Amino acid sequence: MGGTEQNYVNEAFDTNWIAPLGPNVNAFEQSIKQKLGNNVHVAALSAGTAAIHLSLELLGVGHGDEVICQSFTFSASANPITYLGASPVFVDSELDTWNISPVLLRKAIEDGIAKGKKPKAIIAVHLYGMPYKISEIGTIAKEFEIPIIEDSAEALGSSYKETPCGTFGDIGILSFNGNKIITTSGGGALVSKNKEFVERAVFLATQARDDAPHYQHSNIGYNYRMSNVLAGIGRGQMEVLNDRVNARRANHQYYKDKIGQFEEIEFLIEPDGYFSNRWLSCILTPSFEIREKLRLALLDENIESRPLWKPLHLQPIFRTSKHFVDGTSESLFERGLCLPSGSNLTKDDLDRVVTTIKNVLS
Ligand SMILES: *Cc1c(COP(=O)(O)O)cnc(C)c1O
């Protein structure tokens, strides 16, 4: 926590706004808007997953539809597709950003169209905070007139050509889960330049109640709005977002300076115009064996590290889903490792990680 969160939470208690609406929710949405730009509208929700679910619903995804999703991501990017009775079509990554490949995306779309099933949406992810190929992916989406859901759950504070992540898709989603760069313990947001989308999202997120004195419903609704108590935490967290991004980027730079000289270690470089919040500091090794050697040596020192995301087309639950892959994300999964990346790591903490890795490699 940054320090001021408790004040906003107390405000909620003092004014008895203990509900999934209230002044903290409004102010939190305003502060997100300030960060992302005044041309966007924001709905604070109970989770990033809820935001993806509502995005798909807003875009009219329903039973039997197909939705393209980046394979190299956390399962929450794709799970909501199945909530609606639709099917995910997974697309592999490219090596410049580790995100959805423009070449394979085009292939997946053309295949869908050829089979009479044009994909209803594209879920593209800024994994680990690195923006996906905004321009290439945006051009393809426009060409085929397919809307983009921009999964910016890991990328608050990242940008492409100075434009903040979260604002590139037809709809963007954010997460404030406990593990993200800032947190409300649990929470998320839906972001769009289209005001009607955001108003409709708030309507659906509050049980889709019609305008009537009694409770009347013409739509199936959800209980997805953010609590006013948690939005208080969010208000305080927004004040320290820049500090958190700086801390994460400093972690990454420290690792790069200290172990970047080993030929067994590769870092993901920011292409020109890309700015990553470096949510997690990740390295790529030449092989699964070396990756495991490093991971186990760190574990021996009581230091947790983790393999990169397991691609969704390899997950047991999605094994039968359509996929357009070329081995890129599978190889990243086998060879990559997320190093300790918390915003509160001390220099001693970082040195313990660095020393352990150096001992294995030298
Ligand atoms: C965390 C995360 C989500 C889901 O957000 P929640 O707030 O945890 O529901 C979705 N996509 C990605 C890439 C994530 O990392």
Side-chain angles (χ1 to χ4, degrees), residues 6 27 67 85 117 173 183 192 194 198 202 222 244 246 296 303:
Q6 189 101 53
V67 173
K117 208 155 222 183
I173 75 96
T183 181
S192 182
N194 182 333
V198 175
V202 170
Y222 305 91
R244 298 293 181 265
N246 291 337
L296 295 171
I303 300 169

Side-chain angles (χ1 to χ4, degrees), residues 187-204:
L190 183 145
V191 177
S192 182
K193 289 175 186 152
N194 182 333
K195 193 171 174 213
E196 273 144 44
F197 275 165
V198 175
E199 284 171 354
R200 180 91 184 149
V202 170
F203 168 74
L204 292 170

Side-chain angles (χ1 to χ4, degrees), residues 47-49 52 73-74 76-77 125 151 153-154 175-177 180 187 309:
T49 310
I52 297 173
T73 183
F74 177 47
S77 299
V125 187
D151 182 342
E154 301 177 2
S175 168
F176 308 107
N177 201 52
K180 298 306 198 289
W309 295 118

